[in-house]
Amino acid sequence: LEQRGARIYAETSLAGITGSVGVVTGVVTGEQQMIACQLVLVCTGSSPDTRLARHCTQPILHEYGRGILVNDQLRTSVPGIYAAGDVAALRNPLTGTHEQRAQWYSAVEQGHIAAAMLTNVSEEMPFFGVPWHATRIGELSILTVGNTIGNTIGNTTEPIRGARIYTDSGKGGYRRLAVVNNRL
């Protein structure tokens, strides 16, 4: 994005957007700095809130920064309790670690599975597979497949051992793939 001329303001809070209906002329940061712009893209990230899991009378297994540990049917360590969406930490078949799948398509699938499990409706369990994300910002297409960043714990990211990362920024797009032990 920066190579295409975008300016990234990480760790910046947004106090307001200036302009008129349908037209952006700038933003005001939480530090009262005015930044002129024509487009605003806000990325908030996701950090699971596991306080409920810690305060249950029968504690639910969770990992700091990763969420509530669940199996492929979204069952937690406590019988009859399921977790889905950004708070659910599924086992990554590539790394063996538990991690969030903080994308809307994954949350929708997890919601269907949790509802089926809670209502005893027999439903084929999908293979959650490899996480991916695709978006388009203006003329730039972005696609990531696999865990292309590493294992995030709290505010730090550890690279995946043995990962080969492939990138391609040709033809007006950006693609990034991660391969470990010949698996995407």
Side-chain angles (χ1 to χ4, degrees):
L1 291 173
E2 288 173 329
Q3 289 175 352
R4 295 284 183 134
R7 293 175 66 194
I8 310 294
Y9 294 86
E11 303 296 324
T12 303
S13 63
L14 188 65
I17 298 176
T18 61
S20 59
V21 175
V23 179
V24 173
T25 58
V27 296
V28 179
T29 70
E31 294 78 33
Q32 300 304 309
Q33 176 189 10
M34 173 67 169
I35 302 171
C37 64
Q38 296 171 324
L39 175 69
V40 178
L41 178 65
V42 178
C43 302
T44 59
S46 89
S47 181
D49 187 349
T50 58
R51 285 181 290 184
L52 179 62
R54 289 192 304 268
H55 297 306
C56 289
T57 55
Q58 191 172 357
I60 298 171
L61 289 177
H62 66 282
E63 289 185 16
Y64 174 74
R66 292 189 193 227
I68 296 172
L69 302 181
V70 296
N71 66 11
D72 288 340
Q73 289 80 39
L74 303 174
R75 289 184 181 109
T76 68
S77 59
V78 177
I81 297 182
Y82 297 82
D86 292 356
V87 76
L90 290 139
R91 185 181 170 281
N92 181 327
L94 189 62
T95 64
T97 61
H98 282 77
E99 59 192 34
Q100 297 170 269
R101 301 285 175 89
Q103 290 95 16
W104 69 267
Y105 70 90
S106 184
V108 169
E109 279 296 311
Q110 291 176 34
H112 287 281
I113 292 169
M117 299 306 293
L118 288 167
T119 58
N120 292 319
V121 172
S122 178
E123 186 172 299
E124 184 178 322
M125 294 300 136
F127 169 65
F128 286 110
V130 177
W132 63 274
H133 181 73
T135 192
R136 184 174 189 90
I137 302 170
E139 296 296 316
L140 180 63
S141 296
I142 300 172
L143 170 66
T144 62
V145 179
N147 184 342
T148 60
I149 298 171
N151 296 321
T152 302
I153 302 171
N155 291 328
T156 62
T157 301
E158 301 171 352
I160 298 173
R161 286 188 313 234
R164 291 187 319 260
I165 305 295
Y166 299 96
T167 61
D168 175 22
S169 56
K171 299 182 182 177
Y174 179 77
R175 289 161 290 282
R176 184 171 171 126
L177 307 173
V179 177
V180 177
N181 297 328
N182 294 321
R183 292 180 63 190
L184 184 63

